[in-house]
Amino acid sequence: MKPHTNQLIGKAILDALPTRPLDSNKGNFGSVGILGGAPGMTGAVLLAARAALHLGAGKTYAASLSSGITLDCMQPEIMLLDPSQLLDTALTVLAVGPGLGQSEQARQLLESALKNPAILVLDADALNLLAASPDLKNLTLARTSPTLLTPHPGEAARLLACDTKTIQRDRPAAALQLAEKYCAWVVLKGAGSICTGPGKEWRINTTGNPGLSSAGMGDVLTGMVAALLAQGLEPFAALQLAAYLHGAAADALLLQGIGPVGLTASEVMLEARKILNQRAI
Ligand SMILES: NC(=O)C1=CN([C@@H]2O[C@H](COP(=O)(O)OP(=O)(O)OC[C@H]3O[C@@H](n4cnc5c(N)ncnc54)[C@H](O)[C@@H]3O)[C@@H](O)[C@H]2O)[C@@H](O)CC1
Ligand SMILES: Nc1ncnc2c1ncn2[C@@H]1O[C@H](COP(=O)(O)OP(=O)(O)O)[C@@H](O)[C@H]1O
């Protein structure tokens, strides 16, 4: 089959990555912070942080709005802070949204995050809060470092004040509109994720399968995008490589009989690490 003109060639981005120098140290691979986790959704922030760690971030921090969580017992490498401490930490990339909720505290934290000099990735409830507030939109437009948005079609519809059907009718057009409206880099998720940015160029990802239609997969994608940005990839390349690896991991697991039914987000991040290490950054 002839490749689509706008088909994302993830393998080419992967093959072009430089290998890690022998004398590298953790400071060379960036610091990622993940902010989210309202009560009942701490899992979302941990999934994103674990994905950032496994995809190669030099240091990974996380902060949850649910009080009292000081350690990820499964992944003690992650440094768990209070939200205010996280926002005072020097970060290469800050990702806000997984399980964040839409409380007043969440809104205030997002407002501070939008003023943070780190590269910013907005997902899930950060996108819902942004969609509901002209003030937060103005802060987004005023940012001087890159902003990336990772909406699923439901979140994209809220951001563009339309319905999900309209988004799905012309997904490239919707992604381009989002990039323009928020002056941001965008991955519009779902089967055939669309990656685009302010330059109007767009790519469609062809990896992935319905095994990915399960809760937590988007949180893992956010952590993966953050890790690739922290290691120096440009926003457009980071979005494309993350979408490619996320889908390719699910496809590889399918061939092993893991999925589509019962595939978990935790399995996807480990398989994505394996594929990334075929050409380690
Ligand atoms: N372990 C955890 O703590 C988890 C927490 N989560 C958090 O839960 C919160 C709510 O997120 P939800 O995404 O569940 O709720 P939403 O209300 O944002 O989205 C659900 C709706 O969006 C639409 N949609 C999503 N993907 C679509 C697609 N590919 N095609 C068409 N329509 C689509 C559908 O209409 C769907 O009913 C977020 O903050 C999220 O981060 C989830 O990520 C799941 C895991
Ligand atoms: N049928 C599918 N084919 C390919 N990718 C899919 C499919 N269903 C879901 N995905 C991917 O899985 C992820 C789901 O993200 P999201 O809807 O935000 O989930 P959650 O919020 O539960 O973590 C996205 O990256 C999306 O592109």
Side-chain angles (χ1 to χ4, degrees):
M1 198 173 73
K2 205 169 150 240
H4 190 289
T5 324
N6 288 88
Q7 187 174 326
L8 186 165
I9 313 289
K11 183 84 173 57
I13 303 176
L14 193 59
D15 289 344
L17 293 175
T19 51
R20 288 191 166 195
L22 282 177
D23 64 348
S24 68
N25 69 77
K26 64 188 173 189
N28 301 130
F29 305 116
S31 298
V32 168
I34 311 281
L35 175 59
M41 293 191 290
T42 308
V45 90
L46 294 182
L47 283 169
R50 289 176 187 180
L53 176 71
H54 284 99
L55 270 284
K59 293 187 218 171
T60 306
Y61 300 87
S64 171
L65 272 64
S66 326
S67 56
I69 296 150
T70 52
L71 178 70
D72 178 355
C73 293
M74 297 280 288
Q75 217 64 74
E77 298 87 347
I78 297 167
M79 291 167 269
L80 281 161
L81 306 172
D82 288 334
S84 56
Q85 286 175 310
L86 181 73
L87 292 173
D88 283 343
T89 302
L91 297 169
T92 321
V93 183
L94 173 61
V96 186
L100 180 70
Q102 297 183 52
S103 63
E104 178 53 24
Q105 185 195 7
R107 199 203 63 76
Q108 283 175 17
L109 287 168
L110 177 58
E111 188 176 322
S112 304
L114 287 165
K115 296 173 186 163
N116 194 291
I119 300 169
L120 190 61
V121 181
L122 301 182
D123 183 31
D125 284 322
L127 299 172
N128 296 328
L129 286 163
L130 177 61
S133 164
D135 290 346
L136 293 178
K137 182 186 169 215
N138 288 337
L139 281 176
T140 307
L141 297 180
R143 284 178 50 76
T144 49
S145 49
T147 309
L148 292 83
L149 310 180
T150 64
H152 62 48
E155 289 150 353
R158 288 172 208 132
L159 286 165
L160 290 178
C162 63
D163 58 21
T164 308
K165 263 193 191 150
T166 308
I167 300 290
Q168 296 294 66
R169 204 174 298 135
D170 189 346
R171 287 167 52 80
L176 286 162
Q177 267 182 56
L178 283 167
E180 193 176 326
K181 180 169 178 181
Y182 293 95
C183 193
W185 301 90
V186 174
V187 55
L188 174 58
K189 298 183 293 193
S193 289
I194 307 286
C195 300
T196 191
K200 298 202 188 302
E201 207 181 336
W202 62 271
R203 293 284 179 274
I204 183 164
N205 182 45
T206 55
T207 60
N209 63 71
L212 288 169
S213 303
S214 116
M217 294 296 180
D219 306 319
V220 163
L221 182 78
T222 294
M224 292 173 59
V225 169
L228 297 174
L229 290 165
Q231 288 165 90
L233 261 72
E234 294 299 322
F236 194 38
L239 284 178
Q240 292 181 77
L241 185 55
Y244 165 78
L245 288 172
H246 191 256
D251 292 345
L253 288 164
L254 195 75
L255 291 177
Q256 298 162 45
I258 304 167
V261 178
L263 180 65
T264 68
S266 297
E267 289 165 316
V268 167
M269 72 175 85
L270 297 180
E271 193 68 23
R273 172 179 69 179
K274 212 186 265 180
I275 302 170
L276 179 60
N277 275 313
Q278 288 165 8
R279 180 75 194 181
I281 305 182

